[in-house]
Amino acid sequence: MERPQRRLVEGPHHLYLRVSRARGRHFLRIAILGTGEVGSHLASFLVGVGHEVKIGSRTAENASATEWARSKGPRASHGTFADAAAFGEVVFNCTAGAISLEAVRMAGAENLKGKILIDVSNPLDFSKGMPPTLTICNTDSVGEQLQRAFPEAKVVKALNTMRHEIMTNPSLVPGSHDVFICGNDVAAKAEVTRILKDWFGWREVVDLGDITGSRGLEMILPLWLRLFRVYNRAPFNFKVAR
Ligand SMILES: NC(=O)c1ccc[n+]([C@@H]2O[C@H](COP(=O)([O-])OP(=O)(O)OC[C@H]3O[C@@H](n4cnc5c(N)ncnc54)[C@H](OP(=O)(O)O)[C@@H]3O)[C@@H](O)[C@H]2O)c1
């Protein structure tokens, strides 16, 4: 993998991008809030394609984050949620949706100011067993909670409607299928669309409008969970036919 060069330029939407002159690829400092299967999968993928990634946890000594950073080389690091958010130019929320507000508060509003916060979470409540219910729905969502709590962050809901392997490799599901986004900041959504297409290989990015679109994206989870059982865990995704 080609090493990123250290030339800083002002990129679109005021992001400072590290530019590889040879291939014209953009490398960023990425914060991943969350050490579960989604966080570690996204973090590994992003390090693998040349970004610098800090994975954040409740404690700086989190064992799986420590091991992840040790195994992934010099572009990988770990720390608290706040350490990661301070480091990242773009931040992914990959914490359990039921506690995302709490986790992102630990990351700190100052560390999120002006940054894109890509919210991958789902508000699943496993406290009464399987299948989980939603901790919040109908008139609110985690995406909206985060945008209200962090008005200076640019929250974009994305990628929460598929298994983590498909997020970075849509070709695991044959044919054309969709990734949905929503958020209040038009420029942030354009940047996330670029990330989804250029980094992850998505072709169909469906913009559902403002952040209240998170309600539908999160409420699709009961259907998703049922399909997961119907298709016996084989990869699948949603496609809107029209
Ligand atoms: N699994 C998938 O394929 C998939 C697909 C789409 C969307 N999602 C959504 O993506 C998110 C991440 O899923 P996941 O399975 O990777 O991880 P997860 O188990 O849902 O969440 C793990 C993270 O939540 C943090 N956390 C747990 N309790 C906390 C609390 N009380 N306060 C603060 N932080 C707390 C953990 O912190 P520590 O690091 O300190 O332990 C950890 O970083 C979820 O919202 C999930 O619904 C998952």
Side-chain angles (χ1 to χ4, degrees), residues 184-195:
N184 296 345
D185 190 292
V186 171
K189 285 192 290 188
E191 184 62 20
V192 172
T193 299
R194 188 189 70 77
I195 286 171

Side-chain angles (χ1 to χ4, degrees), residues 34-38 57-58 94-97 99 120-122 162 164:
T35 57
E37 57 186 1
V38 178
S57 174
R58 278 172 285 189
C94 308
T95 61
I99 53 74
V120 175
S121 74
N122 286 304
M162 67 201 68
H164 57 280

Side-chain angles (χ1 to χ4, degrees), residues 76-151:
S77 60
H78 69 98
T80 62
F81 288 133
D83 294 335
F87 172 87
E89 292 159 296
V90 171
V91 181
F92 285 78
N93 172 39
C94 308
T95 61
I99 53 74
S100 282
L101 197 53
E102 202 180 322
V104 181
R105 278 203 178 109
M106 291 183 210
E110 269 308 302
N111 295 326
L112 297 168
K113 202 171 174 179
K115 295 181 183 175
I116 295 174
L117 175 61
I118 302 176
D119 177 29
V120 175
S121 74
N122 286 304
L124 299 178
D125 178 1
F126 294 94
S127 64
K128 295 183 184 67
M130 292 296 280
T133 54
L134 300 176
T135 59
I136 185 172
C137 65
N138 291 332
T139 54
D140 207 355
S141 60
V142 183
E144 289 166 90
Q145 284 182 324
L146 293 175
Q147 187 61 82
R148 278 198 305 273
F150 305 98

Side-chain angles (χ1 to χ4, degrees), residues 206-217:
V206 182
D207 182 350
L208 299 177
D210 67 49
I211 195 65
T212 61
S214 298
R215 296 175 197 178
L217 291 181

Side-chain angles (χ1 to χ4, degrees), residues 9-229:
V9 296
E10 190 170 3
H13 321 308
H14 311 294
L15 280 174
Y16 283 84
L17 306 176
R18 225 163 279 106
V19 174
S20 161
R21 286 176 223 189
R23 288 193 197 162
R25 294 181 72 174
H26 295 159
F27 295 98
L28 296 179
R29 288 194 311 273
I30 312 282
I32 301 285
L33 309 180
T35 57
E37 57 186 1
V38 178
S40 54
H41 174 78
L42 287 175
S44 298
F45 178 87
L46 292 166
V47 164
V49 296
H51 301 283
E52 289 177 56
V53 178
K54 192 180 282 290
I55 195 165
S57 174
R58 278 172 285 189
T59 60
E61 300 80 28
N62 179 285
S64 60
T66 307
E67 175 52 24
W68 174 83
R70 191 201 57 74
S71 68
K72 295 295 172 187
R75 291 197 296 276
S77 60
H78 69 98
T80 62
F81 288 133
D83 294 335
F87 172 87
E89 292 159 296
V90 171
V91 181
F92 285 78
N93 172 39
C94 308
T95 61
I99 53 74
S100 282
L101 197 53
E102 202 180 322
V104 181
R105 278 203 178 109
M106 291 183 210
E110 269 308 302
N111 295 326
L112 297 168
K113 202 171 174 179
K115 295 181 183 175
I116 295 174
L117 175 61
I118 302 176
D119 177 29
V120 175
S121 74
N122 286 304
L124 299 178
D125 178 1
F126 294 94
S127 64
K128 295 183 184 67
M130 292 296 280
T133 54
L134 300 176
T135 59
I136 185 172
C137 65
N138 291 332
T139 54
D140 207 355
S141 60
V142 183
E144 289 166 90
Q145 284 182 324
L146 293 175
Q147 187 61 82
R148 278 198 305 273
F150 305 98
E152 293 185 285
K154 300 164 186 174
V155 179
V156 179
K157 190 91 192 177
L159 294 166
N160 69 306
T161 54
M162 67 201 68
R163 281 284 297 174
H164 57 280
E165 301 92 339
I166 299 169
M167 295 176 185
T168 57
N169 186 4
S171 68
L172 286 175
V173 176
S176 158
H177 49 99
D178 299 331
V179 57
F180 304 100
I181 64 167
C182 65
N184 296 345
D185 190 292
V186 171
K189 285 192 290 188
E191 184 62 20
V192 172
T193 299
R194 188 189 70 77
I195 286 171
L196 293 170
K197 290 186 171 181
D198 293 357
W199 298 1
F200 298 162
W202 284 93
R203 279 179 291 173
E204 307 291 337
V205 180
V206 182
D207 182 350
L208 299 177
D210 67 49
I211 195 65
T212 61
S214 298
R215 296 175 197 178
L217 291 181
E218 295 173 16
M219 286 194 289
I220 209 167
L221 259 290
L223 172 61
W224 187 95
L225 287 158
R226 199 47 86 103
L227 291 170
F228 191 55
R229 209 168 70 185

